[in-house]
Amino acid sequence: MTEQHPTGTEGLRAVAAALLVAFENLGAEHEALTEEEKATTAKERQGTVRRMIQSIVDADRTLAHSVDLVATVYGMRALCIRGQMTKGADGGDYRPLLSLGNPDEVLYETASYLQVVVQRLGEAYEPTKKYPGLAVARRPQEMRTVLSSLGAALAGLCAEMITIGLSEDPAEFDSCLAFLDELESRTCRLVPPQATGPTADDVTAAILASPEIARAAAAALKRATA
């Protein structure tokens, strides 16, 4: 049976999924920075790490709120809530009482909050004069996922706003997306895995295949046991 989704919510589901991935992967970086702060004795260095932690915390809170907003838009669309007003005796809109919310306004608010998340993460990895080397991700794999997922969510929101006529500028978030790419390349450099040495079987095969290697191995063992 094919799963059915409310009309106009498919794009929001993709945005929400990207935001959840970003939210979940932010924890490993916060954990690593917290452990680093505890192990650091130099006060100024410790202060830099503490500032990074606070920026991560601020980004996390704003990101969590952004997920809530996307869920709100999804629910409002699914329930066909779009700024309805109470009705007067004549059946017309009755303005003295409150009206229901507008999902389009909440969607635009969500985009604004996501840009704040990006700003906070940028602040976390802003190099200092004394400790520029600290401005890197401690968990580059997870932070790469965070930043790329935020980029996907922003791009999805932009597409959604264009679809519903809330924006006419497909490049509205290009500067923010470019900053995410730059931040990722600067702070999330992955260390290539170290090559493993030859196995015992490899060494044995090399000794058996070459008299020179066999003599060198015997000499080495003789020196080690002398």
Side-chain angles (χ1 to χ4, degrees), residues 175-186:
S175 61
C176 191
L177 292 170
F179 178 74
L180 278 170
D181 289 340
E182 184 276 328
L183 189 62
E184 179 181 330
S185 63
R186 176 169 59 84

Side-chain angles (χ1 to χ4, degrees), residues 40-184:
T40 302
T41 56
K43 292 298 182 182
E44 189 171 346
R45 183 185 180 97
Q46 189 180 57
T48 298
V49 176
R50 188 176 295 121
R51 173 187 59 77
M52 296 176 72
I53 293 172
Q54 186 57 54
S55 294
I56 295 291
V57 169
D58 292 342
D60 173 73
R61 290 172 178 167
T62 308
L63 182 54
H65 183 56
S66 300
V67 174
D68 289 342
L69 289 175
V70 172
T72 297
V73 176
Y74 185 95
M76 293 172 75
R77 286 186 179 180
L79 296 171
C80 298
I81 296 173
R82 182 175 289 277
Q84 286 95 331
M85 303 185 68
T86 57
K87 303 299 180 181
D90 60 356
D93 291 339
Y94 186 70
R95 299 188 179 280
L97 296 181
L98 294 175
S99 62
L100 298 179
N102 188 324
D104 293 353
E105 294 177 358
V106 179
L107 191 68
Y108 202 87
E109 183 182 0
T110 304
S112 298
Y113 275 110
L114 280 187
Q115 292 177 88
V116 173
V117 173
V118 175
Q119 180 182 347
R120 294 293 175 264
L121 291 177
E123 292 171 355
Y125 299 101
E126 184 68 29
T128 62
K129 290 183 179 180
K130 189 168 185 180
Y131 297 111
L134 292 180
V136 295
R138 276 49 173 185
R139 300 282 301 193
Q141 186 64 55
E142 285 87 348
M143 283 307 298
R144 185 182 292 271
T145 300
V146 169
L147 298 174
S148 62
S149 297
L150 285 174
L154 263 176
L157 280 177
C158 184
E160 189 71 13
M161 290 191 294
I162 290 175
T163 298
I164 64 177
L166 194 60
S167 172
E168 297 180 355
D169 183 9
E172 184 169 356
F173 303 118
D174 277 6
S175 61
C176 191
L177 292 170
F179 178 74
L180 278 170
D181 289 340
E182 184 276 328
L183 189 62
E184 179 181 330

Side-chain angles (χ1 to χ4, degrees), residues 21-42:
V21 169
F23 179 78
E24 290 173 351
N25 279 272
L26 202 54
E29 181 73 359
H30 181 269
E31 182 179 30
L33 285 168
T34 301
E35 292 173 355
E36 182 176 332
E37 182 196 5
K38 293 177 181 177
T40 302
T41 56

